[in-house]
């Protein structure tokens, strides 16, 4: 179902139980994490922006952001009592967000979305304030390149280069070991740089 | 390029784009209201059926509508918030020992499995969710939809646009864009109107709305264009087309 369609049913991740099991740990949480983990409102207030940004950067279309963010926080609400803090809250939230984003994103194919960006809105006059235009171009470029990365590279790149998360945090968030994160990050940077260079070459070659 | 670090050019690009993905205050409040409504619906469903998983979808929808109705009269935010807090009146330290929505205490696996291709939700929280395009202006509660008497509540919504529909949508948008480029905004509006008629909730609705603003402004119908522009920016405040739309009918 189109996530933006009327009657959208928030799909509370079917794998949620499996997903959150490893994060439900018996060891004592730190006071900081524990106090946050028990208070859904605080988690929402403090981390909504992170979840929203992550959804956008993981390719959830604007039209589906409300649904996706809602789905994330429904899962958070369900599972928060089980979160005891061995992983960072941010990592835990991203682990939820990436699953929800995956579900929403596959409803609108990557190619289709990218083609929309390129082809569906004309700019007959090209009149835009310089600052807005530059920023819009930067955002468009970022998202187009992120869209072209595979999911593994994309997630690591977003967390490392845009969220400034540490490699251990990233490893927790996506459930891989440190060496894998380093490897993916290196590959993601190379792929991103290559995409930048390709774009520059296209611009240089254009009339 | 070793992959050990990014070039200054790329860092500059990331710096320019970094803050653009942040939500607006309206996004935060709007989603909060929806989450609270859904949580309230889930709590009621749990109480009524003993298990949210066992609750029939139609019942969940009815409960969700009730939650939205409460939200519309301003009660659900407080009610769900208090439910979240265990119903305590002003005791910020008092907490529910468990979330309001019941969850299955399923055993934890050893590893994180991949999401199955077509997951069956363990718990479905059914609510009459508003699509993004129907967002109310920021700060207002969601609109309550009244059920159509001729349609059962549990009826499936329309299927998503198949690939051929998307091709047809894109063709109409391309036609509109070509007309705009040719200096014929009226023809563009005609194509956009056709898109609106054939695909009122199409995949490219956002792009249709953006192009409509451009076309209206190009015809000189500034008042109409500005209204469309404002509606667009309310519905898609973070759109990649926002800057262009914002500039289309300058105030």
């Amino acid at each position: 179902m189109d996530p933006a369609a009327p009657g959208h049913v928030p799909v509370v991740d079917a794998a949620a139980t499996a997903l959150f099991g490893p994060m439900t740990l018996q060891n004592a949480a730190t006071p900081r994490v524990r106090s946050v983990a028990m208070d859904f409102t605080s988690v929402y207030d403090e981390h909504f922006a992170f979840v929203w940004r992550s959804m956008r950067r993981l390719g959830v279309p604007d039209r589906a952001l409300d649904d996706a963010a809602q789905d994330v926080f429904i899962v958070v609400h369900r599972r928060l009592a089980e979160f005891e803090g061995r992983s960072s809250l941010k990592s835990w939230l991203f682990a939820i967000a990436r699953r929800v984003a995956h579900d929403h994103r596959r409803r609108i194919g990557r190619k289709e979305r990218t083609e929309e960006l390129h082809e569906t809105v004309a700019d007959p006059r090209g009149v835009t304030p310089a600052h807005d235009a530059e920023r819009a171009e930067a955002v468009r470029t970022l998202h187009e390149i992120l869209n072209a990365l595979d999911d593994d590279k994309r997630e690591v790149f977003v967390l490392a280069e845009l969220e400034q998360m540490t490699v251990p945090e990233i490893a927790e968030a996506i459930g891989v070991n440190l060496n894998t994160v380093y490897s993916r990050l290196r590959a993601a940077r190379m792929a991103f740089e290559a995409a930048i260079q390709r774009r520059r070459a296209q611009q240089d070659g254009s009339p | 390029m070793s992959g050990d670090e990014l070039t200054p050019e790329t860092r500059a690009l990331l710096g320019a784009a970094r803050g653009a993905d942040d939500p607006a205050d309206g996004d935060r409040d709007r989603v909060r209201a929806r989450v609270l409504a859904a949580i309230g619906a889930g709590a009621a469903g749990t109480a009524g059926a003993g298990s949210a998983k066992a609750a029939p979808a139609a019942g969940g929808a009815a409960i969700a509508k009730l939650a939205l109705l409460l939200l519309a009269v301003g009660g659900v935010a407080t009610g769900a918030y208090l439910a979240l807090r265990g119903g305590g009146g002003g005791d910020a330290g008092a907490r529910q020992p468990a979330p309001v929505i019941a969850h299955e205490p399923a055993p934890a696996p050893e590893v994180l499995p991949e999401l199955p291709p077509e997951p069956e939700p363990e718990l479905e929280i059914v609510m009459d969710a508003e699509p993004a395009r129907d967002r109310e202006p920021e700060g207002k509660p969601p609109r309550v939809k009244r059920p159509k008497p001729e349609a059962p509540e549990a009826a499936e919504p329309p299927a998503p646009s198949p690939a051929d529909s998307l091709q047809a949508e894109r063709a109409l948008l391309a036609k509109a864009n070509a007309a705009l480029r040719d200096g014929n905004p009226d023809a563009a509006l005609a194509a956009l109107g056709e898109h609106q008629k054939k695909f009122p909730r199409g995949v490219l609705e956002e792009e249709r709305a953006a192009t409509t603003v451009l076309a209206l402004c190009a015809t000189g119908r500034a008042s109409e264009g500005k209204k469309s522009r404002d509606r667009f920016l309310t519905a898609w405040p973070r759109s990649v087309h926002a800057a262009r739309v914002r500039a289309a009918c300058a105030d």
Side-chain angles (χ1 to χ4, degrees):
Chain A
M1 178 196 298
D2 183 342
H8 164 68
V9 177
V11 177
V12 179
D13 191 351
T17 298
L19 173 61
F20 301 109
M23 297 173 186
T24 304
L25 303 168
Q26 300 303 315
N27 61 331
T30 63
R32 176 184 65 81
V33 172
R34 176 176 296 220
S35 65
V36 168
M38 294 299 291
D39 186 342
F40 175 79
T41 302
S42 295
V43 172
Y44 184 92
D45 288 341
E46 292 174 21
H47 297 283
F48 176 79
F50 169 68
V51 168
W52 185 269
R53 286 195 305 269
S54 298
M55 289 300 199
R56 295 200 82 212
R57 291 166 177 170
L58 293 180
V60 175
D62 282 355
R63 69 176 61 243
L65 277 173
D66 277 19
D67 291 336
Q70 175 186 338
D71 287 355
V72 168
F73 281 103
I74 288 172
V75 173
V76 168
H77 181 262
R78 290 179 56 207
R79 298 289 172 175
L80 196 54
E82 300 172 11
F83 177 77
E84 294 186 1
R86 195 167 78 173
S87 64
S88 79
L89 188 58
K90 213 169 173 182
S91 297
W92 186 72
L93 290 169
F94 188 82
I96 301 170
R98 68 194 285 257
R99 298 300 177 117
V100 173
H102 178 274
D103 185 51
H104 280 265
R105 203 175 57 229
R106 70 188 164 89
R107 302 178 198 187
I108 299 179
R110 175 185 296 165
K111 282 186 178 178
E112 292 172 4
R113 188 65 194 168
T114 301
E115 287 169 1
E116 288 174 42
L117 291 176
H118 285 301
E119 299 176 6
T120 53
V121 177
D123 185 5
R125 295 179 298 174
V127 179
T128 53
H131 179 75
D132 278 357
E134 287 175 13
R135 187 174 197 189
E137 181 57 27
V139 173
R140 176 188 288 256
T141 299
L142 170 64
H143 283 259
E144 285 179 358
I145 297 176
L146 288 178
N147 273 341
L149 296 179
D150 64 49
D151 288 349
D152 290 345
K153 295 188 185 76
R154 179 185 197 142
E155 291 169 354
V156 170
F157 190 89
V158 164
L159 293 178
E161 301 296 351
L162 293 167
E163 292 296 337
Q164 311 285 306
M165 284 172 66
T166 66
V167 167
E169 283 179 315
I170 297 169
E172 288 174 349
I174 62 177
V176 299
N177 64 41
L178 298 181
N179 285 337
T180 301
V181 175
Y182 281 117
S183 172
R184 288 183 185 176
L185 180 56
R186 192 174 297 113
R189 284 170 172 162
M190 292 178 71
F192 198 95
E193 291 288 4
I196 292 280
Q197 296 308 318
R198 280 195 299 273
R199 293 177 69 88
R200 179 194 281 173
Q202 287 170 357
Q203 288 165 358
D204 291 345
S206 62
Chain B
M1 175 66 203
S2 67
D4 292 331
E5 60 182 30
L6 297 172
T7 62
E9 179 188 11
T10 299
R11 292 210 172 279
L13 175 98
L14 297 182
R18 184 167 280 122
D21 288 321
D22 281 329
D25 287 343
D27 297 327
R28 183 188 302 269
D29 295 341
R30 187 178 59 251
V31 174
R32 184 200 308 273
R34 290 178 53 159
V35 171
L36 290 176
I39 289 171
T46 301
S51 163
K53 187 177 181 179
I63 291 163
K65 288 181 179 181
L66 176 60
L68 284 175
L69 183 60
L70 289 172
L71 181 66
V73 297
V76 75
T78 304
Y81 183 80
L82 291 178
L84 269 173
R85 296 303 193 118
D91 181 6
R95 300 185 183 112
Q96 284 282 75
V100 177
I101 293 180
H103 53 265
E104 302 292 335
E110 294 300 318
V111 296
L112 293 175
E114 290 299 318
L115 195 66
E118 291 294 338
E120 290 295 327
E122 170 196 349
L123 166 64
E124 284 195 350
I125 299 176
V126 183
M127 61 181 292
D128 193 359
E130 292 294 315
R133 54 182 161 268
D134 288 342
R135 291 172 189 159
E136 292 293 328
E138 294 172 1
K140 291 188 178 179
R143 175 167 53 84
V144 177
K145 277 188 171 179
R146 298 189 184 281
K148 295 177 182 176
E150 67 275 16
E153 282 196 340
E156 282 295 314
S161 298
D164 53 349
S165 292
L166 183 58
Q167 289 294 330
E169 284 194 59
R170 287 174 53 196
L172 282 170
L173 265 292
K175 185 177 176 183
N177 289 329
L180 265 182
R181 280 191 291 268
D182 293 343
N184 191 350
D186 289 326
L189 287 171
L192 293 166
E194 188 179 351
H195 185 281
Q196 163 79 41
K197 187 177 178 182
K198 290 183 176 175
F199 308 103
R201 295 177 182 276
V203 174
L204 303 185
E205 185 187 12
E206 177 183 343
E207 284 67 28
R208 179 185 71 220
T211 309
T212 299
V213 176
L214 302 181
L216 284 171
C217 294
T219 61
R221 294 151 67 180
S223 175
E224 228 177 311
K226 286 175 183 175
K227 286 179 184 174
S228 293
R229 175 197 64 189
D230 293 344
R231 282 196 298 270
F232 179 90
L233 294 174
T234 299
W236 294 283
R238 314 301 300 186
S239 170
V240 295
H241 312 305
R244 188 177 302 166
V245 166
R246 197 174 286 116
C249 278
D251 288 315

